[in-house]
Amino acid sequence: MSMMTAEQYIESLRALKTRVYMFGEQIENWVDHPMIRPSINCVAMTYELAQNPEYSALMTVTSSLTGKPINRFTHLHQSTDDLMNKVKMQRLLGQKTASCFQRCVGMDSFNAVYSTTFEVDAAHGTHYHENFKSFLTMVQDNDLTVDGAMTDPKGDRSKAPHEQSDADMFVHIVERRADGIVVCGAKCHQTGSVNSHWHIFMPTISMNEADKDWAVSFACPSDAEGMYMIYGRQSCDTRKTEEDACIDVGNAKFGGQEALVVLDHVFIPNEYIFLCGEYEFAGMMVERFAGYHRQSYGGCKVGVGDVVIGAAALAAEYNGAERASAVKDKLIEMTHLNETLFSCGLACSCQGHATKAGNYQIDLLLANVCKQNVTRFPYEIVRLAEDIAGGLMVTLPSQQDFTSDTVVGRSGETIGDICNKFFAARDGVPTEHRQRIMRFLENVCLGAAAVGYRTESMHGAGSPQAQRIMIARQGNIQGKKQLAKAIAGIPAE
Ligand code: SF4
Ligand code: FE
């Protein structure tokens, strides 16, 4: 099979028996559910752009495993150019969707698991790397979307996995059989989990010998027996279910998606196991996946930032305020912050290096600096966007008011007439355009899309403290002390 079209991707999801729950009930037709469909449309863009001649050079690449053309989202990076193209591709997708397009977690897990399994096999004589190569070949040949699942519920944070009063707080092996293992546990806030074909599970922290049964990585299909998902709420999400609210939603076509993914005694055949008790490699897998995903944010959040900056500029223009020097300066500041994030994404990519397995890995220190900046700059970009937009983005009446023919005025004016009269701004700008930009900004600054642009910037790919730990580890303070001693004339130890 060659690469799928967007339509083929959406249809392929219907063939899955994925168990999805929302508001306390199972959702049978989750593909067409109005609260889920925008997130499916978003992933579908990763397929659509690959088919578009304008973008296919960036979106597609030759597989290092099969020599066939594949979607870059299923690729093992072969060079620093590949790493940079990954970031550019993510910026493009952010620009086209203004949302989290979800498919990156799979791409980042492919690259982390590929290089880690190579090193596990070299140390233990296991065959996880071959298992993984066969799995990834199947993924590439069928152009699948795969969820990269890392974050366990973690229970009492002061305790290791084996010390938890409930062993399920970290995904773990409950039974070892000749033909595979049985696993239990869950992964929280899993991006793109419902609309992925397969999942790759990885440990979430470094582990020691006592945590052996928790040091496990494997792949399983989304509709594996014993697996189910409980859909996460987003701010203002039920607007998507309202009639005549496509403007009020702010971004009617696209959105992100997170769910709690539960494994209730799921059987994993040997061929899909990538780590099974080799606890000393759990930390390597975590660090590599997190590093790639911290690089990713230097692309996806920048693309969404481009749309936010454009929306703020339009809001000013519709008000007739675009020539004000204060507005111009705020747009400059937003651009400066956004491009700084892109620079970090590119910098950790061009400073990348080959792993022992041969695929390319980003510079870990710079990737962590990238994500640390992402925990801050989008908040400032959003603050400036809100500043420029004005209070209307949170006080505007509903879309139904703007089209209402209920008479309220002394001269027979309708609610619609009144809304269109008083919310008009610059001559020649339809009030509806203003409405659309205000609602878009509401959506991305504090509505459903704020999950992807704000809180995910803080906590996605690891919370700020996780990056600071890595920066401390990679920062080489000892080396810097030696530099200072040499300049200051203090003898080296
Ligand atoms: Fe991709 Fe960004 Fe979403 Fe992560 S947060 S899956 S990098 S779009
Ligand atoms: Fe994310």
Side-chain angles (χ1 to χ4, degrees), residues 50-348:
Q51 307 270 339
N52 183 331
E54 196 180 338
Y55 303 114
S56 57
L58 184 60
M59 296 293 304
T60 63
V61 65
T62 301
S63 166
S64 59
L65 296 176
T66 65
K68 295 180 202 161
I70 54 167
N71 191 301
R72 190 179 291 282
F73 277 97
T74 66
H75 187 45
L76 295 167
H77 314 300
Q78 298 298 304
S79 63
T80 52
D81 271 353
D82 267 354
L83 289 170
M84 287 190 279
N85 281 333
K86 171 197 161 183
V87 172
K88 291 176 189 171
M89 171 179 75
Q90 290 168 313
R91 183 172 189 171
L92 172 69
L93 261 302
Q95 291 172 341
K96 297 291 185 190
T97 62
S99 302
C100 163
F101 36 90
Q102 309 148 57
R103 205 175 171 187
C104 330
V105 279
M107 168 175 55
D108 291 341
S109 68
F110 300 151
N111 280 276
V113 174
Y114 182 81
S115 64
T116 305
T117 51
F118 183 88
E119 294 184 42
V120 180
D121 286 2
H124 289 276
T126 43
H127 54 275
Y128 302 138
H129 194 60
E130 286 308 314
N131 286 357
F132 185 72
K133 274 164 61 178
S134 305
F135 169 72
L136 188 60
T137 301
M138 184 271 290
V139 168
Q140 291 182 345
D141 284 350
N142 293 283
D143 200 13
L144 300 180
T145 290
V146 178
D147 179 37
M150 179 160 279
T151 311
D152 294 89
K154 297 198 283 286
D156 182 338
R157 270 64 172 169
S158 70
K159 292 180 175 172
H162 73 277
E163 295 170 328
Q164 300 286 330
S165 53
D166 182 345
D168 290 345
M169 286 301 155
F170 291 80
V171 170
H172 62 122
I173 304 161
V174 292
E175 191 185 340
R176 287 182 164 84
R177 296 187 196 165
D179 54 348
I181 53 173
V182 178
V183 293
C184 275
K187 295 287 184 182
C188 295
H189 27 82
Q190 288 308 300
T191 295
S193 46
V194 167
N195 47 6
S196 290
H197 303 98
W198 278 73
H199 290 240
I200 291 180
F201 288 83
M202 297 163 284
T204 199
I205 50 169
S206 299
M207 293 182 185
N208 58 35
E209 195 170 356
D211 297 320
K212 240 176 144 173
D213 287 343
W214 287 263
V216 62
S217 174
F218 53 88
C220 77
S222 296
D223 55 359
E225 205 172 317
M227 183 160 155
Y228 56 91
M229 302 168 203
I230 303 173
Y231 205 79
R233 290 213 70 168
Q234 296 172 338
S235 179
C236 309
D237 51 8
T238 48
R239 279 193 199 181
K240 292 173 187 168
T241 64
E242 292 173 16
E243 296 237 336
D244 298 325
C246 60
I247 296 177
D248 288 352
V249 167
N251 183 351
K253 187 155 184 210
F254 302 111
Q257 169 207 110
E258 272 80 24
L260 174 73
V261 179
V262 182
L263 298 161
D264 180 3
H265 295 85
V266 177
F267 174 68
I268 310 295
N270 283 331
E271 67 205 272
Y272 296 124
I273 298 174
F274 312 134
L275 191 75
C276 189
E278 296 79 7
Y279 60 88
E280 73 276 26
F281 285 95
M284 180 188 285
M285 203 177 271
V286 174
E287 203 169 89
R288 291 185 180 179
F289 172 78
Y292 282 122
H293 211 55
R294 290 168 194 173
Q295 167 209 26
S296 289
Y297 278 39
C300 75
K301 301 297 177 241
V302 180
V304 180
D306 287 328
V307 189
V308 173
I309 294 167
L314 283 171
E317 197 179 301
Y318 293 169
N319 281 340
E322 80 275 18
R323 284 165 187 262
S325 61
V327 167
K328 284 186 194 161
D329 195 55
K330 281 167 191 157
L331 292 173
I332 291 167
E333 179 65 9
M334 292 164 86
T335 306
H336 161 71
L337 292 168
N338 206 40
E339 298 301 334
T340 303
L341 296 180
F342 189 49
S343 307
C344 290
L346 291 178
C348 67

Side-chain angles (χ1 to χ4, degrees), residues 397-420:
S398 74
Q399 180 178 342
Q400 291 190 20
D401 289 312
F402 279 84
T403 54
S404 168
D405 53 14
T406 301
V407 174
V408 284
R410 289 178 197 273
S411 310
E413 299 94 338
T414 64
I415 295 176
D417 293 334
I418 295 301
C419 285
N420 281 289

Side-chain angles (χ1 to χ4, degrees), residues 294-458:
R294 290 168 194 173
Q295 167 209 26
S296 289
Y297 278 39
C300 75
K301 301 297 177 241
V302 180
V304 180
D306 287 328
V307 189
V308 173
I309 294 167
L314 283 171
E317 197 179 301
Y318 293 169
N319 281 340
E322 80 275 18
R323 284 165 187 262
S325 61
V327 167
K328 284 186 194 161
D329 195 55
K330 281 167 191 157
L331 292 173
I332 291 167
E333 179 65 9
M334 292 164 86
T335 306
H336 161 71
L337 292 168
N338 206 40
E339 298 301 334
T340 303
L341 296 180
F342 189 49
S343 307
C344 290
L346 291 178
C348 67
S349 303
C350 77
Q351 291 292 300
H353 61 273
T355 66
K356 288 182 182 162
N359 64 330
Y360 267 64
Q361 195 183 305
I362 38 72
D363 180 283
L364 265 185
L365 173 60
L366 296 183
N368 279 279
V369 169
C370 176
K371 175 67 213 316
Q372 183 78 182
N373 282 334
V374 173
T375 66
R376 300 170 181 172
F377 296 179
Y379 283 81
E380 181 63 8
I381 291 171
V382 153
R383 191 185 73 78
L384 291 166
E386 290 187 22
D387 182 349
I388 293 172
L392 200 58
M393 61 177 266
V394 290
T395 63
L396 196 67
S398 74
Q399 180 178 342
Q400 291 190 20
D401 289 312
F402 279 84
T403 54
S404 168
D405 53 14
T406 301
V407 174
V408 284
R410 289 178 197 273
S411 310
E413 299 94 338
T414 64
I415 295 176
D417 293 334
I418 295 301
C419 285
N420 281 289
K421 170 184 165 78
F422 287 111
F423 293 113
R426 181 179 226 161
D427 285 347
V429 175
T431 311
E432 187 188 309
H433 291 188
R434 209 166 165 228
Q435 228 182 316
R436 287 182 179 276
I437 284 298
M438 290 298 142
R439 288 302 185 204
F440 168 77
L441 284 168
E442 179 198 27
N443 173 254
V444 79
C445 296
L446 41 85
V451 180
Y453 193 57
R454 281 178 54 138
T455 316
E456 192 176 52
S457 287
M458 181 69 80

